[in-house]
Amino acid sequence: MNEELTRARRIVENTGSNLFLTGKAGTGKTTFLRDLVATMLKRHVVLAPTGIAAINAGGSTIHSFFQFAFGPFLPGSQHRGESFRLKRQKIRLIRNLDLIIIDEISMVRADLLDHIDAALRRYRNSNRPFGGVQLLLIGDLQQLAPVAREEEWGLLGKYYDSPYFFSSHALKEAGYLTIELHHVYRQQDTYFLGLLNQIRRGCTSPEVLAALNRRYIPHFTPSASDGFIRLMTHNAQARAVNTRELEALTTPEYVFKAEVKGDFPPTSFPTDEELHLKVGAQVMFVKNDSKHRYFNGSLGEVSVLKKDGMAVRLHDTGEEIDVEREHWENTRYTLNTSTMEVEEKVEGVFRQYPLKLAWAITIHKSQGLTFERAIIDAHAAFSHGQTYVALSRCRTLEGLVLSTPIPPSAVITDADVNSFTEGLAATTPDDTQIAQKENAFYLHLVEELFTFQAEATLFDRILRLMEEHFYRQFPRMLHTLRENRSLFRMQTEAVASRFHAQYAPLVVQTDHPAADDFLQQRIRSGAAYFQKRLNSLHRLLRLEQPATANKQLKERVESAYTDMDELLKKHVSLLRFAAQHGVEVHAFQRARSLAIAGENPNRKRSKDEAPF
């Protein structure tokens, strides 16, 4: 992993800072996301602005996760009823998140990010941007832009400097760090990379355009075996090319219908619901193969076609592959109420051969793909970054053919984006700054361990129930609970406040708090003390629980005692772990995940198990 990716990983895993991860096309942003999610200890969800982007990222759309209505969100309208009709389980999920990852952030409008902020403030912490949850925002602002129709921008333009996510009021308040990836893995030719960088910056000098337009070959007609794909600006253009080329083949046509189960919106289908194919058809794979024979974007030609199967010969290797149906899942995130773990629930499944006709595709749909050879028609580019996206899909300049010359008008950039990117250096941290953020996050974890506000709130809830409904029936029980509430205030809350004054300066003063013997000894001692206090409270509440025949009141009592029981179990378990091991960021986060899941983080591991 290069230095930039290492820094990005440190920020996400070891700090609570928001991060904007950006970089040119082909710098490994998607690979980073997949690797991070596979090993992430923080409770997280992956979101994206569109259905296709969400499916590719393995997550949910922003609108479906938060149950947002489509349409502009105006600052100050966060209490609109339709915006927050979330079920209790989704609310509990939101309250238990550590991290929200948003892929393709360049397509997220500023008002949508503020809508997310309003929802998170409502259900988490109203005084902190995004309710205190950490954000990882991934994308390249020189590529796909957010959609802001004229009538929508007529409303939003009164509140925002631009439609881009960086104009979000909440993000400006929250602040963020930036890591820009510079090493391009897709292209190795420095001359071609130089031309791409010029186009990315909006340069339309005669020299740059002349160098690219030397790849204009009028009436270029490749053979099928050459493996060219056409990239075009409009859907109708691509559809017309694919229809014409398929009809030109004289081989029999087969139709393969997808199996769709459950809830899977058509706008999120990764390929056609009815796939029309013939032997000789040029196709593109739309999913990575688990056996690593092909990847999303691999081109080939249908070589065998039967009612119950097919084979495709890959253009780049010549290998013939028997293609099997694949499935895509439309998932939503839920919170397991028994384990309090974030889980993915499959709402729908789309099952189809992972192919689509690919003599031509739109530039928009080529986002994230890589091609060895492409014929590009970008003369009618109509949006910011479109020409750059098309050109940057190709590995080499030699593999690129222009069907029309690129005019200066096709290189469209946005002044707001250019102004923003010029200031990114100010938000790019060095190692010293990251270390400071890591220390602040370490202090946050320790404070979380030694904060007992949640227990105090639930204890007060139980006392109110006793005082309002059981003061005559159970006077002794009420007296006992009052006495113990007072003891909890003196022996737990007040001691925790004094203890904070001891450990906080120690954390701030050391570069490596997890390796500071004196600090770790204090943490272990403190954890042992508070573990005993919570154990005593836990035993008391198991004995002092009122009974009633009133069904509604009984449900309220059981709910309060159950919530307290679950909280104490998890907190005691984590305090026991800290009393034995101290606090090291990754081990502690792993232990916290186990405690939340109802598992014992303190059990001894077998020889075959990996350590924390």
Side-chain angles (χ1 to χ4, degrees), residues 249-289:
L249 296 175
T250 58
T251 50
E253 181 176 313
Y254 289 77
V255 180
F256 301 91
K257 187 171 177 58
E259 299 173 19
V260 184
K261 296 182 179 179
D263 180 16
F264 205 114
T267 54
S268 298
F269 287 173
T271 187
D272 297 331
E273 187 175 8
E274 286 192 353
L275 192 58
H276 294 252
L277 296 176
K278 294 180 180 180
V279 169
Q282 179 161 294
V283 291
M284 180 177 70
F285 286 90
V286 293
K287 191 172 188 180
N288 294 328
D289 179 35

Side-chain angles (χ1 to χ4, degrees), residues 380-575:
F382 57 86
S383 67
H384 159 77
Q386 201 170 20
T387 297
Y388 169 69
V389 169
L391 296 174
S392 62
R393 299 308 97 196
C394 300
R395 287 190 187 277
T396 65
L397 185 60
E398 293 72 26
L400 184 158
V401 172
L402 298 178
S403 61
T404 55
I406 297 175
S409 61
V411 182
I412 304 170
T413 60
D414 190 290
D416 291 315
V417 170
N418 293 338
S419 176
F420 172 75
T421 53
E422 286 173 5
L424 285 182
T427 59
T428 301
D430 57 24
D431 286 335
T432 300
Q433 292 168 314
I434 294 175
Q436 291 171 346
K437 297 288 186 181
E438 288 175 324
N439 251 30
F441 182 66
Y442 184 91
L443 178 59
H444 168 75
L445 289 179
V446 178
E447 287 173 337
E448 185 182 75
L449 177 67
F450 295 123
T451 296
F452 304 95
Q453 183 58 49
E455 285 88 352
T457 299
L458 283 172
F459 206 156
D460 289 339
R461 178 179 160 195
I462 289 170
L463 260 182
R464 281 196 301 272
L465 282 170
M466 289 293 301
E467 290 169 344
E468 291 172 7
H469 302 284
F470 300 102
Y471 66 95
R472 290 179 178 171
Q473 189 178 1
F474 300 104
R476 184 201 58 78
M477 186 184 298
L478 176 58
H479 177 73
T480 301
L481 288 175
R482 281 174 172 166
E483 278 191 336
N484 279 274
R485 179 65 183 94
S486 180
L487 285 173
F488 186 81
R489 193 173 289 111
M490 291 186 297
Q491 296 180 350
T492 302
E493 293 178 273
V495 174
S497 179
R498 293 196 296 273
F499 187 46
H500 180 274
Q502 295 179 28
Y503 67 72
L506 295 175
V507 172
V508 173
Q509 292 164 11
T510 180
D511 293 333
H512 303 287
D516 187 299
D517 290 339
F518 180 72
L519 172 62
Q520 292 304 311
Q521 186 274 327
R522 295 299 300 132
I523 288 174
R524 288 193 294 270
S525 297
Y529 171 83
F530 290 113
Q531 178 195 337
K532 291 178 181 177
R533 301 281 74 76
L534 292 195
N535 269 330
S536 297
L537 176 61
H538 203 188
R539 285 193 297 269
L540 168 75
L541 293 175
R542 282 179 170 175
L543 295 172
E544 304 289 344
Q545 181 170 344
T548 177
N550 184 310
K551 184 177 179 182
Q552 195 172 33
L553 182 57
K554 181 180 179 182
E555 288 178 355
R556 290 177 62 192
V557 170
E558 288 181 348
S559 174
Y561 275 82
T562 298
D563 288 348
M564 179 65 107
D565 183 70
E566 290 177 355
L567 176 62
L568 289 172
K569 282 180 181 176
K570 291 160 191 167
H571 209 159
V572 166
S573 180
L574 204 52
L575 286 166

Side-chain angles (χ1 to χ4, degrees), residues 37-49:
V37 168
T39 57
M40 174 54 58
L41 292 174
K42 290 182 178 179
R43 296 161 292 185
H44 67 279
V45 294
V46 181
L47 306 178

Side-chain angles (χ1 to χ4, degrees), residues 173-186:
E173 181 184 351
Y176 57 90
L177 303 176
T178 299
I179 295 291
E180 183 173 5
L181 306 179
H182 293 95
H183 181 77
V184 178
Y185 295 93
R186 184 175 293 152

Side-chain angles (χ1 to χ4, degrees), residues 24-25 140 142-143 196 199-200 385-392:
K24 304 179 184 72
D140 179 10
Q142 299 294 355
Q143 298 189 43
L196 290 177
I199 294 296
R200 189 173 190 267
Q386 201 170 20
T387 297
Y388 169 69
V389 169
L391 296 174
S392 62

